Amino acid sequence: EKYFELIFQRRPVHSLYTYFNYAYFLAKQGQREKGEKYVKEIIQLFPQNHLVLIHAANFYILIKEYDKALEYAKKNYDLFPNRKNKNFFLKIEEIIKKRIN
């Protein structure tokens, strides 16, 4: 955690991966809300960025908020329609169906 704190003291942080890695780390440490704050911040800055949308969906999978994960995966597929993005979207739909049944 001290590593991330050091990086974020040196703003601006220029790497999207840094934001998402820290968000994942926080979620795994039980600080889900704090991690989500970083995810929302980067989504607000880059709402139509492929990597941002994929990582946002992965973050919400990690914290088991599958509806939000599906929302970002769908937005990504709508903006960037290709087989890989469609499969990612369908994978999340499948997870949701399994949890309902």
Side-chain angles (χ1 to χ4, degrees), residues 6 17 26 38 62 64 74 82 100:
L6 251 167
Y17 294 109
L26 290 168
Y38 286 101
L62 178 67
K64 298 180 173 57
K74 181 175 181 352
N82 62 43
I100 291 172

Side-chain angles (χ1 to χ4, degrees), residues 1-100:
E1 187 168 7
K2 290 187 187 289
Y3 166 78
F4 286 110
E5 288 173 3
L6 251 167
I7 289 174
F8 281 96
Q9 286 174 2
R10 298 176 183 195
R11 287 194 182 244
V13 175
H14 298 285
S15 171
L16 298 176
Y17 294 109
T18 303
Y19 280 92
F20 282 107
N21 286 336
Y22 191 40
Y24 298 149
F25 171 79
L26 290 168
K28 289 183 177 191
Q29 296 297 313
Q31 298 180 53
R32 176 183 142 171
E33 294 83 15
K34 192 174 177 183
E36 189 174 25
K37 180 187 106 184
Y38 286 101
V39 171
K40 287 180 177 181
E41 183 179 321
I42 203 72
I43 290 168
Q44 191 170 24
L45 291 172
F46 305 102
Q48 295 186 342
N49 180 292
H50 167 70
L51 291 174
V52 168
L53 296 170
I54 290 294
H55 283 289
N58 282 325
F59 175 82
Y60 285 110
I61 290 170
L62 178 67
I63 64 171
K64 298 180 173 57
E65 287 194 25
Y66 301 111
D67 290 337
K68 284 187 181 178
L70 187 65
E71 173 188 337
Y72 289 109
K74 181 175 181 352
K75 184 174 182 178
N76 180 63
Y77 178 64
D78 289 346
L79 290 169
F80 309 100
N82 62 43
R83 185 181 322 172
K84 186 176 180 181
N85 290 336
K86 181 179 181 179
N87 288 341
F88 183 65
F89 173 75
L90 293 173
K91 176 183 154 192
I92 297 170
E93 275 191 332
E94 183 71 24
I95 291 170
I96 291 172
K97 286 178 188 175
K98 286 181 181 178
R99 297 199 58 81
I100 291 172

